[in-house]
């Protein structure tokens, strides 16, 4: 049966449309009234034929669903003729929502890509410098210095809102800055002693320390599935350690100490509730931690290792001055950039999703470092690393399931 759909222009008064129909040269005037509605345009369809009304209409056929043009006025209502008002605004809103969702997805994907890319280059440049310049204290201090300069430039140029921090907030942030300093220092110490891939394999043990410290200090008892997911992590790390060509205890324990300090930072951030104002978002919090970490580490570095980063010292050690400075600066920039992007991602996704992304990032870093440095890996070493990373992924999935059910 023919049917009709109608959408009317927005108005606050009664709409009256005067139209003409043409049949074999004869013209008749029709008068039709419609109540006031608020869609955007008037269109009538009948039997697959479209009719547009803009003050007047001219049918494309001689009949409109049995509407005889010889009538001098509108015929009685027909049950098979339906009039429907539709809003173009609603369709526009749907399209806008879809476009906004796509934009957010692309933005988030770009942030994850930058996170991985900066982390890869940080590990490569950092390792290149530490292989010929075994001073992790100085290198870590330089990285924190670059982050400090970047933070002040960001605030001075209004690239990001300057935070209003109280003394009580600074006191609460201080423990976080201390463990953040130690975590980055221990990571650099490990990278200087063993391969990049082995350091990140050991750092896959982070979930174990997270569960341990959460149980000891926060009273969070792990589920049986969480405990099961830790088994492949510990087994894989042990298997990889036994067959690692660059293994030494200094590098191993430095990476373990990095796990301890970074997971202590996560527990402290829950234990020590920092009162956040509007200006103290994740980026500003990380920037303040970076500035405080530099202020804590710089005096200690000068006391322990002295000024061993001067041009005269590097030249006397037979090192390429331009190469060391360039790679150290690039490593520092990538170091600060990947951590900033990490906090930006954390502000957009849940901690569990961030943890899964971190697991994938570790896989990417391990693979790229093995390919770049041509690190010798045995099949058993590869198997151990793979088992540990699968365990980390399972842990992330279990945590996500737990989050959904609570």
């Amino acid at each position: 049966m023919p049917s009709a759909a109608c959408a009317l222009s927005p108005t606050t008064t009664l709409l009256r449309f005067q139209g003409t129909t043409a049949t074999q040269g004869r013209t008749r005037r029709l008068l039709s009234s419609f109540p006031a509605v608020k869609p955007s345009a008037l269109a009538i369809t009948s039997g697959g034929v479209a009719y547009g009304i803009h003050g007047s209409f001219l049918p494309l056929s001689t009949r409109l669903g049995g509407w005889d043009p010889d009538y001098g006025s509108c015929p009685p209502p027909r049950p098979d003729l339906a009039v429907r008002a539709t809003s173009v605004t609603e369709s526009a809103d749907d399209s806008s929502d879809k476009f906004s969702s796509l934009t957010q997805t692309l933005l988030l994907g770009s942030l994850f890509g930058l996170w991985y890319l900066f982390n890869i280059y940080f590990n490569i440049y950092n390792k290149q410098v530490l292989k010929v310049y075994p001073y992790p204290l100085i290198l870590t201090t330089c990285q924190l210095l670059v982050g400090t300069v970047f933070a002040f430039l960001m605030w001075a140029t209004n690239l990001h809102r300057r935070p209003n921090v109280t003394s009580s907030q600074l006191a609460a942030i201080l423990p976080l800055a201390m463990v953040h300093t130690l975590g980055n220092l221990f990571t650099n110490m490990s990278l200087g002693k063993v391969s990049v891939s082995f350091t990140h394999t050991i750092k896959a043990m982070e979930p174990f320390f997270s569960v341990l410290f959460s149980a000891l200090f926060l009273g969070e008892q792990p589920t049986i599935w969480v405990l099961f997911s830790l088994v492949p992590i510990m087994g894989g790390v042990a298997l990889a350690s036994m067959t690692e060509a660059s293994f030494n205890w200094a590098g191993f324990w430095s990476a373990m100490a990095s796990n301890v300090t970074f997971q202590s930072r996560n527990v402290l951030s829950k234990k020590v509730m920092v009162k956040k104002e509007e200006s103290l978002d994740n980026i500003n919090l990380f920037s303040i931690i970076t500035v405080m970490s530099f202020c804590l580490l710089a005096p200690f570095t000068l006391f322990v290792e002295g000024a061993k980063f001067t041009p005269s010292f590097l030249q006397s050690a037979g090192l390429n001055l331009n190469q060391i400075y360039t790679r150290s600066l690039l490593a520092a920039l990538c170091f600060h950039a990947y951590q900033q992007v990490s906090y930006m991602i954390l502000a957009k996704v849940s901690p569990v999703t961030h943890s899964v992304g971190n697991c994938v990032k570790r896989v990417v870093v391990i693979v790229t470092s093995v390919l770049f440095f041509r690190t010798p890996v045995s099949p058993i070493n590869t198997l151990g690393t793979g088992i540990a990373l699968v365990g980390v992924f399972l842990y992330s999935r279990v945590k996500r399931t737990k989050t959904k059910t609570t």
Side-chain angles (χ1 to χ4, degrees):
M1 282 186 177
S3 62
C6 176
L8 304 179
S9 300
T11 180
T12 56
T13 60
L14 185 68
L15 295 178
R16 296 181 64 85
F17 293 89
Q18 182 173 325
T20 61
T21 66
T23 305
Q24 299 176 352
R26 295 178 302 166
T27 302
R28 294 214 179 248
R29 301 181 61 83
L30 302 175
L31 191 63
S32 177
S33 298
F34 298 92
V37 292
K38 290 189 177 293
S40 60
L42 178 65
I44 297 179
T45 60
S46 177
V49 181
Y51 301 84
I53 297 181
H54 301 280
S56 64
F57 66 87
L58 182 64
L60 301 180
S61 66
T62 57
R63 288 182 176 271
L64 175 60
W67 187 345
D68 194 333
D70 289 329
Y71 276 108
S73 61
C74 291
R78 290 191 42 171
D80 60 340
L81 188 65
V83 179
R84 185 182 71 251
T86 59
S87 173
V88 178
T89 306
E90 293 178 2
S91 300
D93 289 342
D94 291 342
S95 300
S96 177
D97 290 342
K98 290 180 180 178
F99 179 77
S100 177
S101 178
L102 178 61
T103 303
Q104 290 297 322
T105 302
L106 292 175
L107 175 61
L108 188 59
S110 300
L111 288 176
F112 270 97
L114 289 174
W115 186 25
Y116 295 175
L117 188 65
F118 287 137
N119 204 288
I120 290 169
Y121 278 105
F122 163 72
N123 283 280
I124 289 175
Y125 290 131
N126 216 27
K127 181 61 178 179
Q128 287 177 331
V129 174
L130 286 167
K131 284 173 68 175
V132 297
Y133 183 78
Y135 296 98
L137 263 173
I138 292 178
L139 201 60
T140 305
T141 304
C142 290
Q143 291 166 0
L144 293 172
L145 173 61
V146 171
T148 299
V149 172
F150 184 83
F152 280 114
L153 286 175
M154 179 180 65
W155 293 329
T157 58
N158 289 325
L159 188 63
H160 196 78
R161 181 181 298 180
R162 185 182 304 175
N164 298 317
V165 189
T166 64
S167 57
S168 61
Q169 286 178 321
L170 290 176
I173 295 172
L174 180 59
L176 302 178
M178 293 174 65
V179 293
H180 177 79
T181 304
L182 291 174
N184 286 294
L185 175 59
F186 285 133
T187 298
N188 283 339
M189 290 173 64
S190 178
L191 288 172
K193 296 294 183 180
V194 296
S195 66
V196 174
S197 58
F198 185 53
T199 295
H200 283 275
T201 300
I202 301 171
K203 286 175 70 65
M205 285 280 291
E206 284 182 353
F208 170 80
F209 292 101
S210 176
V211 172
L212 177 63
F213 292 153
S214 295
L216 290 177
F217 301 107
L218 300 178
E220 297 179 0
Q221 298 303 316
T223 65
I224 189 66
W225 297 111
V226 169
L227 294 177
F228 278 148
S229 69
L230 298 179
V231 174
I233 296 175
M234 295 184 291
V237 170
L239 188 62
S241 300
M242 288 189 298
T243 56
E244 173 61 34
S246 66
F247 179 87
N248 66 71
W249 287 109
F252 176 83
W253 288 117
S254 296
M256 280 295 184
S258 173
N259 287 335
V260 171
T261 50
F262 277 134
Q263 294 311 308
S264 298
R265 179 188 63 183
N266 294 342
V267 171
L268 281 172
S269 65
K270 296 179 183 178
K271 191 77 173 177
V272 183
M273 297 300 293
V274 179
K275 183 180 179 182
K276 289 189 177 183
E277 297 177 357
E278 184 180 352
S279 62
L280 191 57
D281 54 16
N282 285 331
I283 294 178
N284 276 333
L285 179 60
F286 170 70
S287 300
I288 292 171
I289 289 174
T290 301
V291 174
M292 295 178 73
S293 296
F294 170 72
C295 295
L296 290 170
L297 190 60
F300 183 73
T301 301
L302 291 174
F303 178 76
V304 174
E305 293 185 348
K308 294 182 179 178
F309 206 63
T310 60
S312 58
F313 176 84
L314 295 177
Q315 288 174 345
S316 64
L319 299 175
N320 187 317
L321 193 67
N322 183 57
Q323 198 174 73
I324 293 295
Y325 281 156
T326 302
R327 289 177 178 175
S328 298
L329 178 61
L330 289 173
L333 290 172
C334 291
F335 166 79
H336 188 74
Y338 93 74
Q339 297 210 49
Q340 282 277 15
V341 174
S342 176
Y343 274 88
M344 292 170 66
I345 293 174
L346 190 58
K348 294 179 176 294
V349 301
S350 68
V352 176
T353 301
H354 187 274
S355 178
V356 173
N358 192 52
C359 174
V360 177
K361 180 207 71 178
R362 203 173 300 286
V363 175
V364 172
V365 170
I366 289 174
V367 172
T368 53
S369 65
V370 168
L371 295 176
F372 183 85
F373 292 109
R374 298 181 180 179
T375 307
V377 290
S378 65
I380 297 178
N381 183 272
T382 304
L383 178 63
T385 301
I387 292 173
L389 294 174
V390 168
V392 174
F393 179 76
L394 291 176
Y395 171 81
S396 301
R397 297 295 298 177
V398 170
K399 293 289 286 184
R400 171 176 286 185
T401 304
K402 180 182 176 182
T403 302
K404 288 181 178 180
T405 56
T406 54

